[in-house]
C-alpha cells in the first residue's frame, strides 16, 4: 500500500487519464486489496460513487458536470449529486414541475426504478396518484403535490384537445440527450442539432417545449451559445 502522499498523487494521476474508474483499477493503482484503505484515500479527495452499476464506479467530486437534475452520465455510467439512486429519485420527484411517471424515470435515469419508487412510497417519502392509466409520483408536501398533479392534468387536457403535444418517445430523447450533454445549462438548438446528427429529427421549438415542461434552464444568449462546447 502506498503511503498517503504517494496515494494522493497516484489517484490524481489516474483521474487525469480517465474521469471514471472501478475498484480493481484503484486497487492496482494504490497497490492494495484493502477496500477500506482505498475508500479512505478516496474520501480524502472527495468522490462520488455511481448510482448505476450497483455503485461500482467512482469519480472525483470536481470532475462531473451535473445537469439541472443533478445528473452526469459518462459512457453509460450515471452519477448524481444526491449520491444514491434512492436519494436521486426522491430529489427529482420532489422538484419536478409536473411529477414523473415510472416510465419517464426509467428512461431518464437509465436504470429500473420500480423497487426504489415502491420503497419511497411505503416510507412516506413521496406519494403517487393514479392519472390516465399510470401512476404519477409526486411530492408529499400538499401544496407542491397539488401543483404537480394540476400541471400534469393540464398537459393531458391539452393533448386531448389536439394541441401540439410531443410523443413521449420524443420527450425522452430530448431529456436523455440533455443529460448526455453534461452541462448545467444548454441551448435548445444544440440539443436539436445533436439529436438530428443521430438521426432523430427534433426541432429547436420542440426542445424548448420539453425544457419548459420540465423546468430545464436554457442558454439563449449568442455569447453563451458560442462558448458552449459539445460533449461526445
Amino acid at each position: 500500500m502506498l503511503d498517503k502522499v504517494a496515494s494522493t498523487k497516484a489517484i490524481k494521476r489516474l483521474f487525469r487519464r480517465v474521469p471514471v474508474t472501478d475498484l480493481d483499477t484503484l486497487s492496482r493503482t494504490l497497490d492494495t486489496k484493502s477496500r477500506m484503505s482505498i475508500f479512505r484515500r478516496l474520501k480524502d479527495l472527495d468522490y462520488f460513487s455511481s448510482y448505476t452499476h450497483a455503485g461500482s464506479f467512482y469519480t472525483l467530486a470536481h470532475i462531473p458536470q451535473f445537469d439541472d437534475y443533478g445528473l452526469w452520465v459518462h459512457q453509460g455510467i450515471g452519477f448524481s449529486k444526491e449520491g444514491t439512486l434512492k436519494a436521486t429519485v426522491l430529489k427529482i420527484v420532489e422538484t419536478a414541475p409536473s411529477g414523473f411517471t415510472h416510465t419517464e424515470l426509467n428512461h431518464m435515469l437509465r436504470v429500473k426504478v420500480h423497487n426504489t419508487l415502491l420503497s419511497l412510497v411505503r416510507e412516506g417519502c413521496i406519494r403517487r396518484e393514479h392519472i390516465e392509466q399510470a401512476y404519477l409520483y409526486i411530492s408529499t408536501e400538499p401544496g407542491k403535490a397539488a401543483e404537480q398533479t394540476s400541471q400534469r392534468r393540464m398537459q393531458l387536457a391539452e393533448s386531448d384537445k389536439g394541441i401540439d403535444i410531443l410523443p413521449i418517445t420524443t420527450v425522452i430523447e430530448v431529456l436523455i440527450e440533455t443529460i448526455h450533454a453534461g452541462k448545467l445549462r444548454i441551448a435548445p438548438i444544440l440539443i436539436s442539432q445533436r439529436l438530428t446528427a443521430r438521426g432523430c429529427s427534433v426541432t429547436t421549438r420542440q426542445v424548448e417545449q420539453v425544457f419548459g415542461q420540465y423546468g430545464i434552464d436554457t442558454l439563449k444568449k449568442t455569447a453563451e451559445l458560442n462558448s458552449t462546447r459539445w460533449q461526445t
Side-chain angles (χ1 to χ4, degrees):
M1 173 72 182
L2 301 179
D3 62 33
K4 185 174 182 178
V5 174
S7 293
T8 297
K9 290 181 179 179
I11 291 174
K12 287 182 177 180
R13 281 197 303 269
L14 172 64
F15 281 105
R16 278 197 292 268
R17 295 198 307 270
V18 293
V20 174
T21 193
D22 59 15
L23 199 60
D24 287 342
T25 303
L26 285 165
S27 177
R28 292 193 298 271
T29 299
L30 299 178
D31 193 23
T32 181
K33 293 184 179 180
S34 170
R35 291 171 58 93
M36 184 178 296
S37 296
I38 292 171
F39 288 119
R40 185 167 59 247
R41 296 297 189 237
L42 282 175
K43 187 176 180 181
D44 289 339
L45 293 171
D46 199 8
Y47 73 100
F48 286 104
S49 299
S50 62
Y51 71 81
T52 63
H53 302 79
S56 60
F57 288 92
Y58 310 92
T59 188
L60 295 185
H62 71 275
I63 293 175
Q65 298 182 43
F66 292 111
D67 65 12
D68 289 324
Y69 290 104
L71 304 176
W72 179 66
V73 178
H74 174 75
Q75 296 182 354
I77 303 167
F79 293 86
S80 167
K81 279 185 178 180
E82 303 303 315
T84 66
L85 176 62
K86 190 172 185 178
T88 300
V89 171
L90 175 59
K91 180 69 172 182
I92 289 176
V93 168
E94 284 184 330
T95 57
S98 56
F100 274 106
T101 65
H102 169 259
T103 300
E104 290 168 343
L105 287 168
N106 269 351
H107 283 280
M108 175 183 288
L109 296 170
R110 304 184 184 192
V111 291
K112 295 179 179 179
V113 296
H114 174 77
N115 291 338
T116 301
L117 287 169
L118 189 59
S119 176
L120 287 169
V121 169
R122 287 175 174 172
E123 293 170 9
C125 298
I126 60 175
R127 290 173 49 200
R128 66 179 184 178
E129 183 166 335
H130 199 263
I131 298 179
E132 294 286 330
Q133 301 180 339
Y135 279 115
L136 181 69
Y137 292 88
I138 55 179
S139 171
T140 56
E141 197 280 310
K144 178 64 176 178
E147 182 181 337
Q148 289 174 316
T149 54
S150 175
Q151 285 289 329
R152 182 59 64 121
R153 291 185 189 281
M154 286 175 59
Q155 293 166 8
L156 293 171
E158 289 174 348
S159 179
D160 290 340
K161 292 176 183 177
I163 296 175
D164 185 21
I165 298 298
L166 300 178
I168 187 62
T169 52
T170 299
V171 174
I172 290 169
E173 286 287 354
V174 171
L175 292 175
I176 290 176
E177 192 60 40
T178 302
I179 292 171
H180 276 174
K183 301 292 183 182
L184 292 176
R185 293 186 299 158
I186 189 166
I189 189 173
L190 292 183
I191 294 297
S192 175
Q193 290 170 344
R194 290 166 66 102
L195 287 169
T196 300
R198 292 202 293 105
C200 180
S201 181
V202 179
T203 67
T204 300
R205 181 177 176 279
Q206 289 174 323
V207 175
E208 290 173 344
Q209 184 176 332
V210 174
F211 279 17
Q213 179 180 344
Y214 288 91
I216 300 173
D217 289 338
T218 64
L219 288 174
K220 292 184 178 179
K221 295 179 181 178
T222 302
E224 291 176 314
L225 178 57
N226 290 338
S227 66
T228 301
R229 296 181 301 171
W230 287 22
Q231 179 177 319
T232 57

